Amino acid sequence: LDGGGEFGGRAADHLHAVRIFDSNASGPAPQVGRHDGDGIRRVSAAAAVPETFRRVVHAYDLELMRRSRVVCVGVGGAAGFIEDLARAGVGQHVLIDPDIVAETNLATQQTYRRDIGRPKVEAIADRIRDINPESLVVPLRRSLDEIDDREFEFYAKGQTDRSVVSRSLICGLTDNFYAQARVNRLALQFGLPSLCAQVYQEGRGAEVTFTHS
């Protein structure tokens, strides 16, 4: 673990989380571009980039996106959004959702018949890896209530030898008011930006909020 901050003293507490990260990491992706003064490696026009992202090399800071982590609490209705993050080059995904795919989800969520009976986090994790095999994907079939603040902090910010994070974003994408509220509290507690989206009952309205400390 990174020895900085409180994580250095919590290695034993988070050993299981480290193993989850490292077992899902495919190793450091190739470095491309050049270093600017801030230490972030930038992609230049002539740099070799993965063929997947060649057409968006000028649209995104691909190296920063590769080192960015998104923690998604709720992955059912947000499956399409999560896939789009992978297509944009986001390299680290933590997926939290206790549910399995049911046939009724096919009409309302970006799921498919082959996914029925599978954990939602596993189904979307496979699609992320299919888009970008270099992605670090940590699927957690758990409710947010089962993850205490200390463990959540590691999933959002923790670093290991095989996963280095430059930016983190917490996304609250559930239909549970209390989970959404806790996402906002965790973002404030750990000084991280949060994006929350929720649709009212019967689809009568929707809310999207963004906070950044």
Side-chain angles (χ1 to χ4, degrees), residues 70 72 77-87 110 124 169 171 173 195:
V70 178
C72 293
F81 167 70
I82 296 168
E83 282 191 28
D84 285 343
L85 293 176
R87 296 181 198 282
Q110 193 162 323
I124 187 62
L169 172 68
C171 294
L173 307 168
L195 175 69

Side-chain angles (χ1 to χ4, degrees), residues 12-80:
D13 292 340
H14 295 284
L15 182 58
H16 65 293
V18 174
R19 287 172 176 162
I20 289 173
F21 268 106
D22 285 351
S23 66
N24 284 276
S26 57
Q31 298 293 301
V32 297
R34 59 182 176 81
H35 284 288
D36 283 347
D38 60 3
I40 299 297
R41 199 172 183 92
R42 307 294 179 187
V43 174
S44 66
V49 298
E51 185 65 24
T52 301
F53 299 107
R54 187 171 298 281
R55 296 184 67 178
V56 296
V57 66
H58 298 296
Y60 313 120
D61 184 335
L62 290 175
E63 180 61 18
L64 180 59
M65 296 296 274
R66 184 179 71 82
R67 291 178 177 271
S68 294
R69 181 177 300 168
V70 178
V71 181
C72 293
V73 181
V75 303

Side-chain angles (χ1 to χ4, degrees), residues 65-201:
M65 296 296 274
R66 184 179 71 82
R67 291 178 177 271
S68 294
R69 181 177 300 168
V70 178
V71 181
C72 293
V73 181
V75 303
F81 167 70
I82 296 168
E83 282 191 28
D84 285 343
L85 293 176
R87 296 181 198 282
V90 171
Q92 301 181 35
H93 306 258
V94 178
L95 311 173
I96 302 172
D97 195 309
D99 293 340
I100 63 172
V101 178
E103 185 170 354
T104 52
N105 295 139
L106 301 184
T108 59
Q109 301 176 5
Q110 193 162 323
T111 53
Y112 305 91
R113 248 170 230 290
R114 63 179 178 270
D115 298 323
I116 293 175
R118 299 186 65 203
K120 290 182 178 180
V121 291
E122 295 289 353
I124 187 62
D126 284 349
R127 298 207 291 277
I128 291 171
R129 296 186 188 107
D130 195 35
I131 294 166
N132 181 11
E134 297 295 332
S135 294
L136 166 64
V137 190
V138 178
L140 302 172
R141 189 188 171 192
R142 301 165 65 186
S143 71
L144 187 59
D145 287 342
E146 297 175 57
I147 300 173
D148 64 24
D149 289 7
R150 191 168 58 179
E151 186 180 1
F152 186 91
E153 183 183 16
F154 179 83
Y155 286 125
K157 300 169 63 176
Q159 308 198 44
T160 74
D161 290 340
R162 300 187 67 190
S163 68
V164 177
V165 60
S166 296
R167 303 285 188 276
S168 294
L169 172 68
I170 305 173
C171 294
L173 307 168
T174 80
D175 56 5
N176 183 295
F177 173 82
Y178 299 101
Q180 297 290 94
R182 186 170 176 225
V183 166
N184 280 303
R185 182 178 65 77
L186 288 165
L188 291 171
Q189 180 175 343
F190 298 125
L192 295 172
S194 70
L195 175 69
C196 289
Q198 47 269 321
V199 178
Y200 297 151
Q201 190 172 10

